[in-house]
Amino acid sequence: MDFLPKGEGMVTRSPLELRLQNSQVHSTRIQLWIKGQEDKKQDVDLTEVSGKITELTKQILDAEFPGRREDELLVSHTPIIMKYQSDQVPNLTLIDLPGLVTHDKDIEQHITDLLNSYIEKPDTIIVAVLNAA
């Protein structure tokens, strides 16, 4: 998935819910929004996705942690939704979650709680990625 943000350390700071939706139309439509803010859906081009995800992540963290420092390791439970409609994809939802990449016990517990909130669901299939680079 070359359209996801990349970088050093922890890049995923909020769950990314990637909703693949098969469409009979021979074109692709991509929309991004923060869960609970459906009225702010943005149509984006595939080349814009990484930057928009980074922008939405910053909006979430700024709202939930006012006065935060940019270098702070913070994670939100608020998902970013990416709806990808195309005749080239199956109907499937994938969720990219933050990984355990730190030795900070507070953030580690916060991430563990977030992961557990998703993997405890009976219809979840877990795919562990060891190195996203």
Side-chain angles (χ1 to χ4, degrees):
M1 293 192 205
D2 288 338
F3 54 84
L4 295 179
K6 293 176 180 52
E8 295 295 318
M10 185 170 57
V11 177
T12 304
R13 305 282 184 108
S14 176
L16 173 65
E17 191 173 305
L18 176 55
R19 297 177 183 174
L20 303 177
Q21 185 177 35
N22 186 269
S23 171
Q24 301 305 313
V25 181
H26 296 293
S27 65
T28 298
R29 182 177 186 196
I30 302 169
Q31 292 179 300
L32 281 168
W33 69 94
I34 297 170
K35 188 169 187 173
Q37 297 182 14
E38 284 74 9
D39 59 322
K40 295 183 181 178
K41 287 181 184 177
Q42 302 174 43
D43 284 299
V44 296
D45 184 79
L46 191 59
T47 61
E48 302 172 305
V49 169
S50 178
K52 290 291 184 182
I53 290 172
T54 300
E55 181 183 307
L56 292 174
T57 299
K58 184 178 181 330
Q59 285 179 25
I60 291 168
L61 295 177
D62 287 348
E64 292 182 15
F65 305 99
R68 73 181 180 92
R69 293 185 330 267
E70 290 292 324
D71 63 338
E72 278 185 284
L73 290 178
L74 299 169
V75 174
S76 172
H77 284 245
T78 304
I80 294 170
I81 311 298
M82 178 178 165
K83 187 174 180 182
Y84 189 102
Q85 296 172 295
S86 170
D87 61 341
Q88 302 294 311
V89 298
N91 291 320
L92 180 69
T93 298
L94 305 168
I95 302 172
D96 181 29
L97 296 167
L100 295 172
V101 296
T102 179
H103 298 293
D104 181 310
K105 291 296 179 196
D106 290 334
I107 191 74
E108 203 170 293
Q109 186 59 53
H110 192 73
I111 293 170
T112 299
D113 293 343
L114 174 62
L115 296 174
N116 285 336
S117 73
Y118 282 90
I119 65 176
E120 290 174 344
K121 297 174 184 174
D123 58 345
T124 299
I125 298 172
I126 302 159
V127 178
V129 177
L130 300 178
N131 185 355

